[in-house]
Structure formats: C-alpha cells, structure tokens
Amino acid sequence: MRFDLQVIASWIEPGSRVLDLGCRTGSLLAHLAEQKATLGTGIEIDEEAAGRAIAKGLSVIHGDIYEEIEDYPDNAFDYVILSQALMQVLDPETLIREMLRVGKLGIVSFPNFTHYRNRLQMLFTGRAPMSKELPYEWYNTPNIRVIPIIDFRRFCKHLGVPIVKEVAISTHHHDEQGKVITFLPNLFATFGIFMLGQGK
C-alpha cells in the first residue's frame, strides 16, 4: 500500500466508520477492514476501479463524490478521507465542508507543489514542472489545482477549520516506502497529509 495511505491508516481508530472519497480499487478500505475492523464505504467515479473494489467485497458506490456525499446525514462517519484527489476538485471549500458535515474528522493528502525539485525545474527551464508526483504536461493533466503545504494551512484558517494533526512526507507517487519530513516541509516534502476537525 502507498506510503501516504499507510500514514493515514495509522491515524484511524479500530472499529471506526470510514468514508473514502475517490477510493480507486479500495486498497485503503480493504486494509482498514482487515487490520482495524472498520466499517468502510467508498465512492469512486471510475467505473472500472469501482468494479474492482466491489469485486473485493467492499462497499463502494460508483458515482460523483459531490452528488453522493450529499445523501449522507450529519456525522454518519468517524473519518472521511480524500487522498491525492484534492488537486482535481472543482470546489474544495464546498467539499471540505461536506466532508466535515458527514464526518467527525476529515483526512486530506496531496502532492506538495512547492517541493524544491519543482521550484528548480521552473527556475532553470521556465516550464511547468513534471515529477513522479505530478507526471503530466500542463495540457493533459487531470489536475486543476496546485497546492503548496503552506497554502493549505492558510486555506484551513480561511475556512475556520482546525488542523488536528499534520505530517509531511517524502515518497514517490506509488511507493510503499517513505520518510517523515520535519525540517522545512514546504521545501522538502513531496506530500502533505492533514487531519481536519469540525469547526465551531
């Protein structure tokens, strides 16, 4: 399992109710069910990925996360997870607020756009950076946002959403190995992971 998902899994309490937005083939949900006896549900827009998750016996809905999340009542889940998908979200503010309506805690992870290699690429080539974490040209990327760790903190402050826990990591997109970055994470971390609480 990806290193960022390992970190997220370590934050989940046993027996929790979990909603995974953009769950792909359900690797995190399957791990949590097996290791922590969680009650998990996933939402995945890609039909093939959703089908593979369902074939594993997971409770996964094929649909749009904006539409499907509206159907859940307040505090239906202990955790709502959005892993490496925030870059593709049209309205992050609305989605984060919905996550924290249906879940007591939200967990968000994303590639850190201001990693030093991205900065150097832009400085020395003058081109939009490409990396293992952001492996697309500007014209064919599914990502519509670039997110520095420091700006996500500012975004949470703007929303009035408390950051319960955060960790910055250095790992490649699908690697199972990685390390926690504590020194200048906005410069040296490839991913940020945040646990968010329900504001006042």
Side-chain angles (χ1 to χ4, degrees):
M1 191 166 64
R2 286 185 343 228
F3 184 66
D4 67 307
L5 295 182
Q6 295 175 42
V7 173
I8 291 171
S10 73
W11 290 357
I12 305 297
E13 291 293 328
S16 299
R17 299 162 300 161
V18 177
L19 176 63
D20 189 358
L21 303 177
C23 65
R24 301 300 298 159
T25 60
S27 59
L28 178 59
L29 289 172
H31 173 84
L32 290 173
E34 181 179 332
Q35 299 296 322
K36 297 201 172 183
T38 56
L39 299 173
T41 302
I43 301 173
E44 174 55 49
I45 198 167
D46 183 274
E47 186 174 3
E48 181 182 354
R52 289 173 62 188
I54 293 167
K56 295 177 184 177
L58 299 171
S59 174
V60 172
I61 299 167
H62 170 234
D64 180 85
I65 56 177
Y66 282 105
E67 295 175 4
E68 301 298 339
I69 199 171
E70 291 179 352
D71 294 336
Y72 291 104
D74 295 358
N75 297 315
F77 299 93
D78 297 302
Y79 302 91
V80 180
I81 299 167
L82 182 71
S83 173
Q84 293 192 27
L86 186 62
M87 314 83 67
Q88 300 169 20
V89 169
L90 288 171
D91 186 351
E93 181 169 345
T94 296
L95 185 59
I96 295 291
R97 291 196 187 283
E98 276 294 282
M99 287 174 64
L100 294 172
R101 178 187 67 78
V102 304
K104 296 175 182 176
L105 293 166
I107 299 176
V108 179
S109 73
F110 53 86
N112 176 34
F113 185 72
T114 48
H115 184 266
Y116 75 91
R117 285 196 295 264
N118 292 342
R119 299 187 193 205
L120 291 175
Q121 275 192 55
M122 293 187 73
L123 177 64
F124 289 112
T125 69
R127 298 176 55 195
M130 288 180 63
S131 65
K132 288 184 178 179
E133 296 74 43
L134 297 165
Y136 301 98
E137 295 281 5
W138 66 267
Y139 52 82
N140 64 6
T141 178
N143 301 323
I144 59 173
R145 305 188 184 284
V146 292
I147 313 166
I149 287 173
I150 195 170
D151 275 346
F152 188 76
R153 292 194 197 111
R154 292 175 63 235
F155 171 68
C156 291
K157 185 176 181 180
H158 163 74
L159 293 185
V161 168
I163 297 171
V164 177
K165 188 184 299 188
E166 69 173 281
V167 67
I169 61 173
S170 178
T171 184
H172 294 306
H173 182 56
H174 289 291
D175 280 4
E176 296 179 3
Q177 304 295 321
K179 60 182 179 179
V180 173
I181 302 295
T182 57
F183 179 69
L184 298 177
N186 202 54
L187 188 63
F188 293 116
T190 52
F191 291 91
I193 309 172
F194 289 77
M195 179 185 286
L196 310 177
Q198 295 174 332
K200 295 179 181 179

